[in-house]
Amino acid sequence: MKFGKLQLNLHKNIYVFEIFLLVLVFSGCVSNRLEMPDAKYFSWFSTDNELYAYFPVQKNFNIVKSLSGLFIKDLSDKDSNKILTRTNALYLSCGNISKQDKSFQMIATGHYPVLFLKMALKEKCGWKKNQSFYTHNSGVKLKIINSSAIMLSNIDINKISEANNNNFSMKLSDKIGFVIKSPDSILSKLLGKIQFPVSTLLGTIQDF
């Protein structure tokens, strides 16, 4: 049930993955350098978010590729492989999911040459430059941190910031991990009126 709930919320915001993948298709393909997971990125997210998730792409290649195939139409295996070989990890945070809040914040890390990304973020692809970031026709914002990290969000992109000092912490491993803070309303929807003294719901997903 945990996996199903996580999958449901990702489905609501899945268009961010579509936009992110389409951008990278234009960036070509290189061999990606593996990196150690860096939990500091969670501290950049807004402090009132409820769901946090970590996707180590290279260690869960088949799962991530399956997700991209399910939700992105006409994505060839060739383009999928180009994208995934560039990406090491996805750090995701969503708003008040118990109240159907569809806001999300994401940081993707990997190898993204800034010059090639700027070439891909053109108006003909639905992007418009706004000062230090780009806005897609769908409302998703993208900001290039550097050639190793990218921010994406469907709310104010500047709300992703080192200055947030979010004290959320998650143990990172080679498994996909997620944490839901204050999961009472979610558990009640799944299990009925049964009361559980649970302050945090967490779990992992891995490829067998």
Side-chain angles (χ1 to χ4, degrees), residues 63-97:
I63 293 178
V64 179
K65 187 172 182 179
S66 295
L67 285 172
S68 65
L70 284 171
F71 295 103
I72 302 175
K73 298 179 180 179
D74 303 321
L75 183 67
S76 68
D77 283 343
K78 181 179 179 180
D79 285 341
S80 179
N81 287 330
K82 284 181 180 179
I83 295 159
L84 297 180
T85 53
R86 281 191 174 276
T87 304
N88 286 319
L90 298 174
Y91 302 81
L92 174 69
S93 185
C94 298
N96 194 327
I97 58 176

Side-chain angles (χ1 to χ4, degrees), residues 9 48-51 94-103 182 185:
N9 283 285
D48 55 351
N49 288 347
E50 276 193 349
L51 181 145
C94 298
N96 194 327
I97 58 176
S98 61
K99 295 183 179 180
Q100 307 300 312
D101 181 358
K102 297 181 181 180
S103 66
S182 303
S185 59

Side-chain angles (χ1 to χ4, degrees), residues 111-129:
H111 181 65
Y112 316 122
V114 176
L115 177 61
F116 290 106
L117 279 176
K118 288 183 177 180
M119 291 175 61
L121 298 169
K122 298 294 185 180
E123 287 191 15
K124 64 180 181 180
C125 300
W127 293 97
K128 182 179 179 181
K129 182 69 179 296

Side-chain angles (χ1 to χ4, degrees), residues 4-23:
K5 191 61 182 179
L6 177 63
Q7 187 178 44
L8 172 64
N9 283 285
L10 286 177
H11 182 268
K12 291 176 182 176
N13 298 308
I14 199 64
Y15 58 88
V16 66
F17 287 100
E18 179 175 356
I19 293 169
F20 176 62
L21 293 173
L22 289 176
V23 168

